[in-house]
């Protein structure tokens, strides 16, 4: 009996230790073991992320999850995970600790599609606990921190830092959870079927005094693509706060004819312009064909009383309509997200 009690005490203490220290292996059960380690100090298998990615095809066996653990540090390099590298995971030590940074931009001669600091093309990618950064600055126009062409890709507890065109969710099905996204103009853009859930969206100070959060690129109304921002928060970054009254900030503008963007159950701070949305370069031609919508948002910028009167703009009042844009329906989340071990809310 005493032996049994002793065993129970040891187990309980072990769980308590895990909760406090975070070092116990069972606490990290949701994080796969690393196949290779990247460390700038030479303590890992590689000193650069690019070298680890380049070697992945030759080192892995099968198509199971291949985990590249990137230790804390600032990695000034450009990384491309090609189409042939499927089910790759980049695992860092946390936002602001593991940083991959570059500075390509339109202003310095790189087309938008080639300006990404990190480009992911292989399906099934997971990014976790990493900062993706583009330091081109607000005057250098389009400058992508991350471009994802990866179908069924997931980003968890990551940050995306840039100004114009920070996060290019280009194609495929994508999910972002508990991420921070910083930018000025069209800084969440592309034509993926993408849900950003429990994220923080930070507006920076733009050079032309106009911010637009999204620019969605659906070109055909039968396409099942669009940008959904769910249960998140939109607020000013530190550099915008002192001058935010002099800056007009909009939820988005329609990049393509059938642009589709939905903000749901998101806190909108007072920096959002009452009109809410902005035409693309003052072109009214797609205001009938786009689908921009808001549902059950809160905060001082959430009032829809003075929103645009476009035929394609909708204030959703029915939960059943809003459910169409929840992860379980919009990106078929229940069929693939559980295998990633990333938390998500399937419904509203």
């Amino acid at each position: 009996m005493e032996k049994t009690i002793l065993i129970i005490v040891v187990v309980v203490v072990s769980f308590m230790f895990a909760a406090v220290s975070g070092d116990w292996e069972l606490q990290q059960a949701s994080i796969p073991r690393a196949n290779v380690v990247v460390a700038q100090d030479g303590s890992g298998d590689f000193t650069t992320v690019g070298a680890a990615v380049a070697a992945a095809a030759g080192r892995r066996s099968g198509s199971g999850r291949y985990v590249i653990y990137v230790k804390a540090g600032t990695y000034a390099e450009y990384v491309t995970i090609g189409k042939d590298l499927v089910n790759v995971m980049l695992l860092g030590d946390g936002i602001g600790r593991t940083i991959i940074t570059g500075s390509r931009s339109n202003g310095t001669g790189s087309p938008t599609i080639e300006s990404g600091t990190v480009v992911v093309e292989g399906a099934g990618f997971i990014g976790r606990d990493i900062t993706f950064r583009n330091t081109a600055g607000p005057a250098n126009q389009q400058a992508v921190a991350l471009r994802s062409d990866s179908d069924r890709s997931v980003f968890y507890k990551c940050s995306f830092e840039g100004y114009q065109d920070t996060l290019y969710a280009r194609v495929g099905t994508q999910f972002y959870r508990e991420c921070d996204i910083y930018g000025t103009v069209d800084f969440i853009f592309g034509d993926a079927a993408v849900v950003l859930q429990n994220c923080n969206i930070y507006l920076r100070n733009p050079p032309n005094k106009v911010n637009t959060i999204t620019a969605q690129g659906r070109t055909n109304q039968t396409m099942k693509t669009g940008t959904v921002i769910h249960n998140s928060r939109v607020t000013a970054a530190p550099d915008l706060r002192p001058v935010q009254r002099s800056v007009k900030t909009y939820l988005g503008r329609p990049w393509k004819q059938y642009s589709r963007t939905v903000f749901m159950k998101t806190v909108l701070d007072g920096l959002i312009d009452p009109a809410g949305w902005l035409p693309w370069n003052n072109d009214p031609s797609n205001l009938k064909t786009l689908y921009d919508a808001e549902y059950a948002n809160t905060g001082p910028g959430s009032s829809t009383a003075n929103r645009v009167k476009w035929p394609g703009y909708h204030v959703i009042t029915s939960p059943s309509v809003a459910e169409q844009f929840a992860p379980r329906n919009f990106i078929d989340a229940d069929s693939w997200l559980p295998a990633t071990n990333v938390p998500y809310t399937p419904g509203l």
Side-chain angles (χ1 to χ4, degrees):
M1 182 68 175
E2 291 181 358
K3 185 176 180 181
T4 302
I5 293 173
L6 179 61
I7 291 172
I8 293 172
V9 169
V10 169
V11 170
V12 171
V13 170
S14 297
F15 271 103
M16 292 175 64
F17 177 77
V20 173
S21 70
D23 291 334
W24 198 37
E25 188 176 12
L26 287 181
Q27 174 130 342
Q28 303 299 325
S30 65
I31 302 176
R33 285 188 184 277
N35 296 92
V36 294
V37 176
V38 179
Q40 291 177 321
D41 62 6
S43 62
D45 304 289
F46 301 94
T47 57
T48 67
V49 182
V53 170
R59 282 178 167 248
R60 75 184 307 177
S61 58
S63 58
R65 178 74 55 205
Y66 186 82
V67 180
I68 300 172
Y69 168 44
V70 186
K71 286 189 175 183
T74 300
Y75 298 82
E77 54 180 304
Y78 298 97
V79 178
T80 297
I81 298 173
K83 293 179 181 179
D84 295 336
L85 285 179
V86 301
N87 294 329
V88 170
M89 179 179 188
L90 285 186
L91 171 65
D93 275 328
I95 290 174
R97 298 193 67 219
T98 298
I99 302 165
I100 306 176
T101 183
S103 60
R104 290 174 179 163
S105 69
N106 270 21
T108 55
S110 295
T112 304
I113 198 169
E114 297 176 8
S115 67
T117 300
V118 175
V119 174
V120 182
E121 297 173 338
F125 176 82
I126 298 177
R128 181 166 178 165
D129 292 306
I130 292 179
T131 290
F132 302 92
R133 181 179 290 168
N134 190 311
T135 61
N140 276 314
Q141 302 175 338
Q142 295 90 338
V144 175
L146 177 122
R147 189 190 97 209
S148 177
D149 297 5
S150 172
D151 190 34
R152 296 194 169 188
S153 55
V154 175
F155 296 85
Y156 180 44
K157 294 185 176 180
C158 292
S159 69
F160 307 88
E161 300 176 5
Y163 290 88
Q164 184 172 352
D165 288 6
T166 304
L167 175 57
Y168 192 178
R170 184 167 174 260
V171 293
T173 301
Q174 305 184 22
F175 181 71
Y176 296 73
R177 171 84 178 201
E178 296 172 40
C179 292
D180 298 338
I181 307 101
Y182 293 79
T184 53
V185 178
D186 306 338
F187 64 97
I188 301 171
F189 77 112
D191 192 27
V194 56
V195 175
L196 293 87
Q197 188 176 79
N198 293 33
C199 291
N200 295 305
I201 297 171
Y202 293 105
L203 281 300
R204 286 177 150 174
N205 189 12
N208 63 353
K209 301 305 178 184
V210 177
N211 276 328
T212 48
I213 298 170
T214 64
Q216 207 282 326
R218 192 169 66 140
T219 57
N220 187 305
Q221 85 182 121
T222 64
M223 296 169 67
K224 297 180 179 180
T225 56
T227 298
V228 176
I229 296 174
H230 180 217
N231 198 34
S232 295
R233 185 178 184 92
V234 176
T235 191
D239 67 324
L240 179 60
R241 288 172 195 156
V243 296
Q244 72 179 53
R245 291 187 178 181
S246 66
V247 173
K248 287 185 172 293
T249 295
Y250 299 90
L251 298 176
R253 57 180 184 156
W255 182 21
K256 301 294 181 181
Q257 186 176 3
Y258 293 94
S259 175
R260 180 162 62 173
T261 305
V262 180
F263 282 76
M264 306 195 305
K265 301 184 77 172
T266 288
V267 179
L268 305 177
D269 280 358
L271 75 168
I272 301 298
D273 189 88
W277 305 81
L278 193 67
W280 184 266
N281 295 336
N282 295 316
D283 181 359
S285 62
N286 56 4
L287 303 185
K288 293 182 180 180
T289 53
L290 61 77
Y291 186 96
D292 287 337
E294 299 179 57
Y295 171 75
N297 297 315
T298 57
S302 65
S303 172
T304 58
N306 296 306
R307 290 295 197 247
V308 294
K309 306 303 180 184
W310 304 341
Y313 171 71
H314 306 272
V315 177
I316 299 173
T317 58
S318 167
S320 62
V321 173
E323 273 283 356
Q324 298 173 26
F325 302 102
R328 69 156 62 96
N329 294 313
F330 194 64
I331 58 171
D332 196 21
D334 293 339
S335 72
W336 64 280
L337 273 180
T340 68
N341 290 319
V342 170
Y344 73 103
T345 304
L348 297 176

